[in-house]
Amino acid sequence: MKKATLSDIAKELGVSTGLVSMVINGKARQNRISEEMSQKVMDKAAELNYRPNQFARGLKTGRSNTIGLIVADIANPFFGKVARAVEDYAGQHGFYVMFCSSDENPEKSDSLIKVMIDRQVDGLIIAPTEKSENQILSLKKNNIPFVLIDRFFPKIKCHRVVVKNKEGAYSAVSHLIKMGARTVGYVDISSGMWHMKQRFEGYKAALREAGVSFKTSLYKEVQYSLFHEDMQIKISDLISENPDIDAIFFPSNILGIQGIQVLKRLQKKIPDDIAIACFDDPEHFSLTEPGVSAIAQPIQELSRKVVDLLVHDINVDKKEHGEFQQIELGTQFIIRGSSG
Amino acid sequence: MKKATLSDIAKELGVSTGLVSMVINGKARQNRISEEMSQKVMDKAAELNYRPNQFARGLKTGRSNTIGLIVADIANPFFGKVARAVEDYAGQHGFYVMFCSSDENPEKSDSLIKVMIDRQVDGLIIAPTEKSENQILSLKKNNIPFVLIDRFFPKIKCHRVVVKNKEGAYSAVSHLIKMGARTVGYVDISSGMWHMKQRFEGYKAALREAGVSFKTSLYKEVQYSLFHEDMQIKISDLISENPDIDAIFFPSNILGIQGIQVLKRLQKKIPDDIAIACFDDPEHFSLTEPGVSAIAQPIQELSRKVVDLLVHDINVDKKEHGEFQQIELGTQFIIRGSSG
DNA sequence: CTGAAAGCGCTTACAG
DNA sequence: CTGAAAGCGCTTACAG
């Protein structure tokens, strides 16, 4: 069964393809095509099970009604939920979403952006990786609509929607201290990304304000590339170098999830031996016993704002730079058993 | 900066677009285009930062190098991992993957399939919802390459890659009984899907073999549409109607995850009051205390087989029906503390 | 109210 | 070895 085309309909009805095109696209009225004609076209289209060829349409109009979403890892629960929310909101605006995982790798991110642009996405949503500044600048230079989510580069002016990272970490660490912690470790992922630095700033601010001293031995950094092994090593180091350690703050969900497993393996009781809190609140933090105190991000709102900004930019076909929205949303700290 | 086209390159070099096209597509050799000419074209393409327009290419060739993946919910950990694995394997074959969530809704699934086909995907991977038989049959009729994953309709002959559901459930329930359970509840999602029926068969077979009797009051079914409320109600019912209940089997990860929360709320200790086991093994089942005994699915292999089958079908442009692969992979039961 | 025609950017026989 | 031309299926001014 060959797919029906516009000209199949036109031929069968003895009219021009142009007319059929207008009817199909709901422009019958503004082109003053008769009701009767419209109806005949619609009926025939239905009869032939006509579906417009998006390639032809896109080639002609230059639009794909598709947006690209590049995150670190679609299987990470945080990004999984972001992806789902973006899919839903974009769908409401008539856009389809193409997802990709950059694996925190700038080369992969670069090639994904190219692939997306090759596929003529109308715009991009990106959670940028480390060292991808030039990619973002190049999007800007080429006037490709895009919005950054979750992360950003302070020096690059562009649309971005992120959360208050410093404030979020501050509230969690302050709570750990309030619950009695005096030696609070910090297990970071190795990354020059600004949002992670801000979380660390929040941690230090909380210590400072509580008069709790900071030592560099309390700060450990693990490599993304050999994540599982390195977590084990660095947390063991953290504990052996700080025998009096009574709490650890994990500044992201994958760090927290893996960190809990390591602590379990090391036979540390949470919160009795070591209290913990985590940035991000994946589903299962309410399932573990004790539950994990966590900083929940407003994923729905984050996603909605991002889609709104991007769709607006795509539709206005903006030429004028300058009006960049830099949105910071608040987080919510959820207290569960793990913090003591 | 206008995007460069084939004819820009051709014009600057004073050659035809056809020649440029061949060089770009690596067909220089087989068309005996001189090394020198090829090099000049490649250089100019790089200089102009040429990127082929996929719409034009797709319109001409009828191929998009894209496959569609429709799952129940991309935010469900099982499907999240499937999506990631499919993305990776398909990428190795040069295909991009479009993801969509059907929410177990046949109308949504129908419209997603249409959207995917409109976007000219070369083939589809589908975890079909209940009541979507006609959609699958229509794909078959229209000769659109597709493979079913995770679920299938026994009466429809087509490629499918699933796991041994009955066997998996059987081993988990047998283990619960071996650990001392005598009254084993079963909390199901309401669905006529074959794979869920098979899991229930496995459960009953295990009871039968151990000489443990089955009563209908041990089987509860919750609605997907009001999932959270219904879980609470049905599990409470299950326990009050069976005061001697000492184990529950959850035949999917979302049932298990939610079920644990309900049991926690009902102050039931796992495994002392009630032992549990679950089909699917999301990350956090090893994090909870006790860990959850679970049936792990071979997600990588599942995904790889599906992609291999689909890519093969797309590439051979098969006309002859008949040779449908119906693959069943084994599962692995992982014993943790929750089963007693 | 409707038709004819150009053109989006490619690929692919066909000629030479 | 290379060029000229048709055509994929649409949309959109332009005519009438």
Side-chain angles (χ1 to χ4, degrees):
Chain A
M1 194 191 76
K2 182 89 175 37
K3 280 191 70 174
T5 67
L6 268 194
S7 70
D8 291 336
I9 300 178
K11 224 171 288 168
E12 292 217 21
L13 256 33
V15 298
S16 73
T17 60
L19 188 154
V20 177
S21 168
M22 322 232 87
V23 174
I24 298 287
N25 290 299
K27 295 185 182 160
R29 180 130 290 212
Q30 74 198 60
N31 289 282
R32 291 173 302 165
I33 291 165
S34 68
E35 266 306 314
E36 186 192 12
M37 191 71 242
S38 287
Q39 198 53 54
K40 264 164 59 182
V41 170
M42 295 305 280
D43 289 348
K44 184 56 79 180
E47 179 194 329
L48 296 179
N49 196 20
Y50 172 72
R51 315 238 84 213
N53 181 315
Q54 300 298 326
F55 283 164
R57 182 177 273 177
L59 179 58
K60 189 63 193 170
T61 63
R63 275 191 60 157
S64 61
N65 291 309
T66 303
I67 64 185
L69 173 66
I70 300 178
V71 298
D73 182 3
I74 191 87
N76 170 318
F78 172 71
F79 288 121
K81 282 197 217 133
V82 166
R84 188 59 213 279
V86 166
E87 174 183 354
D88 290 344
Y89 289 122
Q92 291 171 14
H93 291 280
F95 284 85
Y96 175 77
V97 181
M98 301 181 72
F99 308 92
C100 278
S101 306
S102 70
D103 290 325
E104 305 286 6
N105 175 339
E107 282 82 39
K108 186 159 182 212
S109 160
D110 189 50
S111 92
L112 289 176
I113 290 176
K114 292 216 175 81
V115 168
M116 296 272 188
I117 292 176
D118 285 355
R119 286 173 183 273
Q120 327 294 132
V121 294
D122 295 327
L124 286 162
I125 297 171
I126 303 176
T129 69
E130 206 184 355
K131 301 195 183 118
S132 64
E133 288 90 336
N134 48 352
Q135 298 165 29
I136 305 303
L137 287 170
S138 145
L139 291 177
K140 236 182 112 162
K141 202 181 66 186
N142 291 316
N143 256 309
I144 293 165
F146 73 99
V147 182
L148 301 188
I149 185 168
D150 184 49
R151 306 138 173 221
F152 65 102
F153 303 104
K155 275 173 294 183
I156 301 181
K157 296 276 166 272
C158 61
H159 288 317
R160 65 195 193 208
V161 186
V162 299
V163 299
K164 293 178 178 169
N165 289 293
K166 182 172 171 181
E167 204 177 288
Y170 171 87
S171 65
V173 176
S174 292
H175 175 76
L176 285 171
I177 295 171
K178 202 180 303 157
M179 299 302 284
R182 282 299 166 266
T183 309
V184 185
Y186 191 100
V187 178
D188 205 354
I189 193 92
S190 163
S191 132
M193 295 297 295
W194 181 254
H195 71 300
M196 295 307 280
K197 283 187 184 158
Q198 288 300 103
R199 293 177 190 180
F200 186 51
E201 288 302 317
Y203 158 83
K204 285 196 296 188
L207 295 192
R208 206 180 309 120
E209 195 185 284
V212 173
S213 69
F214 173 70
K215 297 178 290 187
T216 48
S217 70
L218 286 170
Y219 178 84
K220 297 296 173 197
E221 213 173 70
V222 306
Q223 303 296 322
Y224 188 85
S225 51
L226 19 88
F227 183 61
H228 286 74
E229 301 80 342
D230 216 20
M231 279 294 283
Q232 179 80 35
I233 296 169
K234 294 298 166 56
I235 291 179
S236 301
D237 289 354
L238 178 64
I239 293 174
S240 63
E241 293 169 19
N242 300 279
D244 57 337
I245 193 165
D246 49 17
I248 300 178
F249 179 69
F250 294 103
S252 91
N253 64 359
I254 58 163
L255 289 162
I257 292 171
Q258 190 59 28
I260 292 169
Q261 294 197 334
V262 171
L263 290 173
K264 222 173 141 181
R265 233 175 283 137
L266 295 174
Q267 318 264 13
K268 296 293 175 188
K269 288 281 168 225
I270 298 171
D272 301 338
D273 298 336
I274 296 183
I276 67 168
C278 185
F279 211 106
D280 285 345
D281 183 34
E283 211 92 57
H284 45 294
F285 279 3
S286 60
L287 287 184
T288 53
E289 188 58 55
V292 180
S293 298
I295 300 154
Q297 303 198 44
I299 292 182
Q300 296 300 319
E301 199 184 347
L302 208 58
S303 306
R304 192 164 49 73
K305 286 250 154 80
V306 165
V307 170
D308 285 349
L309 280 177
L310 184 62
V311 168
H312 178 264
D313 261 23
I314 290 171
N315 285 334
V316 301
D317 187 32
K318 57 136 194 179
K319 288 290 163 235
E320 79 296 343
H321 267 337
E323 299 252 345
F324 292 120
Q325 301 276 338
Q326 311 197 324
I327 298 176
E328 273 203 331
L329 302 174
T331 57
Q332 195 192 351
F333 183 54
I334 298 169
I335 298 172
R336 300 197 182 93
S338 75
S339 46
Chain B
M1 196 189 77
K2 182 89 175 35
K3 280 190 71 174
T5 68
L6 268 194
S7 70
D8 292 335
I9 299 177
K11 224 171 288 166
E12 293 216 22
L13 255 33
V15 299
S16 73
T17 60
L19 188 155
V20 177
S21 169
M22 323 232 86
V23 174
I24 297 288
N25 289 301
K27 294 184 183 162
R29 181 131 291 212
Q30 75 197 62
N31 288 283
R32 290 175 301 164
I33 291 165
S34 67
E35 267 304 315
E36 187 192 15
M37 191 71 241
S38 287
Q39 198 53 54
K40 264 163 65 181
V41 170
M42 294 306 280
D43 289 348
K44 183 57 79 179
E47 179 194 328
L48 296 179
N49 196 20
Y50 172 73
R51 314 238 85 211
N53 182 316
Q54 300 298 327
F55 283 164
R57 181 177 276 177
L59 178 57
K60 189 63 193 170
T61 62
R63 276 191 59 157
S64 62
N65 291 309
T66 304
I67 64 185
L69 172 67
I70 300 179
V71 297
D73 182 2
I74 189 87
N76 170 318
F78 172 70
F79 289 121
K81 281 195 218 133
V82 167
R84 189 57 213 280
V86 167
E87 176 184 353
D88 290 344
Y89 288 121
Q92 291 171 16
H93 290 281
F95 284 85
Y96 175 77
V97 181
M98 300 182 72
F99 308 93
C100 278
S101 306
S102 70
D103 290 327
E104 304 286 5
N105 175 339
E107 282 84 38
K108 189 161 179 210
S109 160
D110 189 50
S111 92
L112 289 176
I113 290 177
K114 291 215 177 78
V115 168
M116 296 273 190
I117 293 176
D118 284 357
R119 288 175 181 274
Q120 327 292 135
V121 293
D122 296 327
L124 286 163
I125 297 170
I126 303 177
T129 69
E130 207 184 354
K131 300 193 183 118
S132 63
E133 288 89 338
N134 48 352
Q135 299 164 30
I136 305 302
L137 287 171
S138 145
L139 291 177
K140 236 181 113 163
K141 203 181 64 187
N142 291 315
N143 256 307
I144 293 165
F146 73 99
V147 182
L148 302 188
I149 185 169
D150 183 48
R151 306 138 173 219
F152 65 101
F153 303 104
K155 276 174 293 184
I156 301 181
K157 296 277 167 271
C158 61
H159 287 316
R160 65 195 192 208
V161 186
V162 300
V163 298
K164 293 178 177 168
N165 289 294
K166 183 172 170 181
E167 204 177 287
Y170 170 85
S171 64
V173 175
S174 292
H175 175 76
L176 286 171
I177 295 171
K178 200 179 307 159
M179 298 303 283
R182 282 299 165 268
T183 310
V184 184
Y186 191 99
V187 178
D188 204 354
I189 194 89
S190 163
S191 132
M193 296 297 296
W194 182 254
H195 71 300
M196 295 307 279
K197 284 187 182 154
Q198 287 301 102
R199 292 177 191 180
F200 185 51
E201 288 302 318
Y203 157 84
K204 284 196 296 188
L207 295 193
R208 205 181 310 121
E209 196 185 283
V212 173
S213 69
F214 173 70
K215 300 178 288 187
T216 48
S217 70
L218 285 171
Y219 178 83
K220 297 296 173 195
E221 212 173 70
V222 306
Q223 303 296 322
Y224 188 85
S225 50
L226 19 87
F227 183 61
H228 287 73
E229 300 81 341
D230 215 20
M231 279 294 284
Q232 179 81 35
I233 296 169
K234 294 298 165 55
I235 291 179
S236 301
D237 288 355
L238 178 64
I239 292 174
S240 63
E241 294 169 18
N242 299 280
D244 58 338
I245 191 166
D246 49 17
I248 300 178
F249 179 68
F250 295 101
S252 90
N253 64 357
I254 60 164
L255 290 162
I257 292 171
Q258 192 58 27
I260 292 170
Q261 294 196 335
V262 171
L263 290 173
K264 222 172 140 179
R265 232 176 282 137
L266 295 173
Q267 318 265 11
K268 296 292 173 191
K269 287 282 168 225
I270 299 171
D272 302 337
D273 298 338
I274 296 182
I276 67 170
C278 185
F279 211 105
D280 287 343
D281 183 35
E283 210 91 57
H284 45 297
F285 279 3
S286 59
L287 286 184
T288 52
E289 189 57 56
V292 180
S293 298
I295 299 153
Q297 303 198 45
I299 293 184
Q300 296 300 318
E301 201 184 347
L302 208 59
S303 307
R304 193 164 49 73
K305 287 250 154 79
V306 166
V307 170
D308 285 348
L309 280 176
L310 184 62
V311 168
H312 177 263
D313 261 22
I314 291 171
N315 285 334
V316 302
D317 186 33
K318 58 137 192 175
K319 288 292 164 235
E320 79 296 343
H321 267 338
E323 299 251 346
F324 293 120
Q325 301 277 337
Q326 310 197 326
I327 298 176
E328 273 203 330
L329 302 175
T331 56
Q332 195 193 350
F333 183 54
I334 298 170
I335 299 172
R336 300 198 183 92
S338 75
S339 45

